[in-house]
Amino acid sequence: QKEVEQDPGPLSVPEGAIVSLNCTYSNSAFQYFMWYRQYSRKGPELLMYTYSSGNKEDGRFTAQVDKSSKYISLFIRDSQPSDSATYLCAMGVNSGGYQKVTFGIGTKLQVIP
Amino acid sequence: DVKVTQSSRYLVKRTGEKVFLECVQDMDHENMFWYRQDPGLGLRLIYFSYDVKMKEKGDIPEGYSVSREKKERFSLILESASTNQTSMYLCASSPFGGGTGNTIYFGEGSWLTVV
């Protein structure tokens, strides 16, 4: 079993829809959680960072963490064609002086105008 | 804004050539990383460094080496390029501190094709 599971998609939605992207994980030691957006042939860019269970909102994006269920989500409201990209979840732990971050495989999202 | 710069965006090299991928970050970050990204496999960590002249193997170090002579610069070296090293290579850095100091910042990527 992988430490982090993420459905690769692709996921196609109409413009204006609410998008839900999810990851599950098995390592209860993870301390912080991130979501990245990656456009084609570009590097990933950070969207959201959180370290506690609950919701964190930033504009049209909401990150949700449920540590008891080992489940994180990213919601995109009023989705736009410019949101078409691959979304990667990432989970990290700092241990023994090292930073260890594990990434999901990424979900490819297409928002249809 | 944090800037991680990878000097080469697109490279084509021949099998057996020695390849250098250079990366510079401008935020005085302690940690630097090299990943490769392949379809269906996601991001895989090759090497990382938590200080100048320090390096640690990641999950797939075979066929690669790294150099970190200055804090801001982290180089990935393919000693003898092979076709199975054709991939997108991503450099990243993080300040490795409290709060959002754990955030990893990526460069734009270097697309390497080995023929």
Side-chain angles (χ1 to χ4, degrees):
Chain A
Q1 182 190 8
K2 291 182 182 178
E3 268 193 307
V4 177
E5 298 276 2
Q6 183 177 14
D7 187 335
L11 177 63
S12 291
V13 300
E15 183 175 354
I18 296 175
V19 176
S20 173
L21 303 166
N22 310 295
C23 288
T24 59
Y25 61 96
S26 57
N27 186 354
S28 57
F30 286 132
Q31 298 164 330
Y32 47 92
F33 307 88
M34 296 171 278
W35 283 97
Y36 287 84
R37 177 176 62 197
Q38 185 176 22
Y39 292 114
S40 181
R41 304 187 82 82
K42 296 282 193 179
E45 56 178 325
L46 180 72
L47 278 178
M48 302 286 281
Y49 175 100
T50 183
Y51 55 87
S52 58
S53 282
N55 292 354
K56 181 178 180 180
E57 192 173 315
D58 184 0
R60 295 185 296 111
F61 298 92
T62 299
Q64 186 178 78
V65 174
D66 183 344
K67 288 187 178 181
S68 61
S69 301
K70 298 192 184 69
Y71 189 90
I72 70 169
S73 299
L74 178 72
F75 299 98
I76 307 173
R77 288 185 299 281
D78 187 25
S79 55
Q80 302 295 308
S82 58
D83 295 327
S84 298
T86 297
Y87 290 80
L88 297 95
C89 63
M91 308 179 188
V93 58
N94 297 343
S95 175
Y98 294 149
Q99 179 182 23
K100 178 178 171 8
V101 178
T102 304
F103 290 85
I105 200 166
T107 299
K108 188 170 184 177
L109 172 67
Q110 185 176 20
V111 181
I112 311 295
Chain B
D1 280 353
V2 175
K3 187 92 172 153
V4 179
T5 303
Q6 295 183 231
S7 56
S8 302
R9 288 279 282 140
Y10 299 96
L11 307 94
V12 179
K13 298 292 181 180
R14 295 194 179 279
T15 300
E17 274 194 81
K18 191 168 187 176
V19 181
F20 293 86
L21 299 179
E22 306 287 343
C23 175
V24 177
Q25 51 97 358
D26 67 355
M27 285 300 290
D28 201 36
H29 285 174
E30 278 71 34
N31 283 4
M32 295 191 75
F33 309 83
W34 274 106
Y35 293 87
R36 64 178 282 178
Q37 187 176 36
D38 301 285
L41 297 176
L43 282 164
R44 292 182 291 168
L45 181 64
I46 304 171
Y47 269 95
F48 67 99
S49 168
Y50 55 90
D51 201 352
V52 176
K53 296 193 185 294
M54 306 302 288
K55 61 185 179 184
E56 293 290 335
K57 293 179 180 179
D59 300 318
I60 52 162
E62 296 77 21
Y64 304 94
S65 63
V66 291
S67 172
R68 194 168 181 198
E69 295 297 318
K70 293 185 178 181
K71 190 174 186 179
E72 68 272 19
R73 188 178 297 270
F74 193 34
S75 303
L76 180 69
I77 303 152
L78 287 69
E79 295 289 344
S80 177
S82 63
T83 54
N84 62 12
Q85 292 178 310
T86 292
S87 185
M88 178 173 181
Y89 290 87
L90 286 159
C91 176
S93 71
S94 89
F96 189 33
T100 59
N102 295 309
T103 302
I104 292 184
Y105 298 90
F106 286 91
E108 286 290 274
S110 297
W111 288 86
L112 172 67
T113 301
V114 182
V115 297

